[in-house]
Amino acid sequence: MKKILKLTVVTLAVFLSGCGLIKEKRQLAISEVYTSLDSAASEVPSMLKLSRGDSLQIEISEGLSPRLKRGEHTDYFEVVEVEGAKETEFSLVLHAMCDCLGLRKWAVLSEVYLVSPSGKQVELHRSGLQSMTVAGEFKEMGLHKFIIIASSKYEGQKMGSIDGYLPLGKPAQVIELSLPLTVHPTGTLKVEYE
């Protein structure tokens, strides 16, 4: 019984010290401004690991996400890991979730890059804007990192519209509404890994 208790205490201590190390690495990553995808991929701890069939939300936010300086713009980003098998095709779908408080209609315009276990950038095929699909083929076996960037380059520009109707009290009387959906440098993305 004492051996089990000691083993449990040691396991718990190792687990908790590992969590502290991850939290410390995360805090260090948030305080830095990275200047290349290579350094971002190698130095920033992943916020989560995706498995095929996962559909999760990630938030890219000021103060909680690391930053990447590219030219005149500094963008917030997150890193997501996936396990890749050589010569296996993949698809990642990112849906920009509208921050629709009142008349404000904002969403993230994302850019996605994939870095292989050896640090090489993997070619991706991209399509879409508000709902973007990136697809490709793993060239290596091992842990790959998706770098998902909330681009600030087009901040404030229209990326789509939110259309709807406003009822006037009677079922047959409505007003059509169309509000512009604009690019914002932070926000939430729904990520689907196929």
Side-chain angles (χ1 to χ4, degrees):
M1 183 67 168
K2 286 184 180 183
K3 284 184 180 182
I4 293 173
L5 182 59
K6 285 181 183 179
L7 183 60
T8 303
V9 169
V10 168
T11 304
L12 186 59
V14 169
F15 176 75
L16 290 176
S17 67
C19 288
L21 183 59
I22 291 169
K23 187 175 181 181
E24 190 175 302
K25 279 185 166 182
R26 180 76 181 173
Q27 288 299 325
L28 182 60
I30 292 169
S31 68
E32 295 288 324
V33 176
Y34 297 89
T35 56
S36 72
L37 290 175
D38 295 342
S39 62
S42 64
E43 296 173 26
V44 176
S46 300
M47 81 174 321
L48 57 90
K49 184 173 181 178
L50 288 174
S51 299
R52 289 205 187 260
D54 281 350
S55 178
L56 304 167
Q57 286 188 5
I58 64 168
E59 186 168 343
I60 300 176
S61 64
E62 187 177 337
L64 295 176
S65 296
R67 294 165 291 164
L68 179 66
K69 177 117 175 100
R70 301 181 299 163
E72 298 175 14
H73 301 279
T74 301
D75 301 318
Y76 294 99
F77 71 96
E78 287 296 346
V79 178
V80 177
E81 295 178 339
V82 295
E83 191 68 41
K86 190 174 182 177
E87 298 178 359
T88 303
E89 293 183 357
F90 64 85
S91 176
L92 189 74
V93 182
L94 296 106
H95 304 281
M97 308 293 284
C98 179
D99 180 356
C100 294
L101 182 63
L103 294 178
R104 180 177 76 197
K105 308 296 180 221
W106 292 339
V108 170
L109 178 61
S110 57
E111 295 179 31
V112 181
Y113 300 91
L114 180 63
V115 178
S116 71
S118 65
K120 296 178 185 171
Q121 203 168 326
V122 177
E123 182 181 335
L124 297 173
H125 306 286
R126 295 171 172 86
S127 63
L129 190 64
Q130 186 179 352
S131 286
M132 180 176 52
T133 301
V134 293
E137 181 180 272
F138 294 117
K139 303 295 182 194
E140 300 176 31
M141 183 78 155
L143 200 59
H144 291 68
K145 292 185 176 184
F146 281 106
I147 300 173
I148 303 170
I149 301 169
S151 178
S152 64
K153 184 177 181 179
Y154 303 103
E155 182 177 0
Q157 293 185 20
K158 184 178 176 180
M159 73 184 294
S161 61
I162 306 289
D163 299 319
Y165 298 95
L166 182 63
L168 293 176
K170 296 181 181 179
Q173 292 182 329
V174 293
I175 297 174
E176 284 187 46
L177 293 175
S178 182
L179 297 170
L181 180 63
T182 57
V183 177
H184 197 262
T186 60
T188 304
L189 293 163
K190 181 178 178 186
V191 180
E192 298 174 356
Y193 178 51
E194 301 166 352

